[in-house]
């Protein structure tokens, strides 16, 4: 399953993130059409957008708002999946701390 990472923007707002996501897709399409002369940018872009079905992020309100903007821009509704790594890291840290206390 292909994926494209979107970097964290310092002080990024929902609008900044949404623009960055759209720009990332556009840049991928530009690169593809550059190397495939028979490919049309708009057709490639629409096919790519049609095949993006989900997003993966933490539960940050700005990320949710950014996806709402992208959904509106692209005329679709993507599934928002959430990474629970922060939660798992917190649990692991707490368990590690408790085990260290128990051992001492």
């Amino acid at each position: 399953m292909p994926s494209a990472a979107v970097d964290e923007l310092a002080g990024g707002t929902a609008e900044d993130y949404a623009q960055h996501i759209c720009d990332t897709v556009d840049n991928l399409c530009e690169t593809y059409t550059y190397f495939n002369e028979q490919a049309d940018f708009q057709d490639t872009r629409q096919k790519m957008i049609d095949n993006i079905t989900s997003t993966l992020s933490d539960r940050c309100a700005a990320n949710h708002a950014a996806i709402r903007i992208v959904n509106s821009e692209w005329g679709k509704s993507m599934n928002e999946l959430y990474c629970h790594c922060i939660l798992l890291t917190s649990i692991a840290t707490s368990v590690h701390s408790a085990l260290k206390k128990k051992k001492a």
Side-chain angles (χ1 to χ4, degrees):
M1 174 180 293
S3 65
V6 178
D7 297 329
E8 183 176 338
L9 303 174
T13 64
E15 291 80 12
D16 293 334
Y17 282 116
Q19 186 63 53
H20 191 62
I21 292 167
C22 292
D23 288 347
T24 298
V25 169
D26 288 350
N27 290 338
L28 289 168
C29 294
E30 287 173 7
T31 301
Y32 180 83
T33 56
Y34 177 82
F35 289 105
N36 296 280
E37 294 179 13
Q38 71 280 8
D40 175 71
F41 173 81
Q42 289 299 332
D43 289 341
T44 301
R45 182 178 182 273
Q46 192 58 52
K47 285 179 188 175
M48 186 174 288
I49 289 170
D50 289 346
N51 282 292
I52 298 172
T53 58
S54 303
T55 65
L56 178 63
S57 72
D58 59 17
R59 293 182 179 266
C60 175
N63 293 344
H64 174 69
I67 297 307
R68 287 183 35 211
I69 294 169
V70 172
N71 282 339
S72 176
E73 178 77 24
W74 290 349
K76 66 184 304 175
S77 179
M78 292 182 280
N79 296 315
E80 291 185 65
L81 307 175
Y82 300 109
C83 173
H84 295 288
C85 289
I86 295 169
L87 173 63
L88 295 176
T89 301
S90 297
I91 293 170
T93 301
S94 295
V95 168
H96 183 261
S97 177
L99 290 174
K100 279 180 84 174
K101 287 179 185 175
K102 183 76 170 169
K103 187 176 181 182

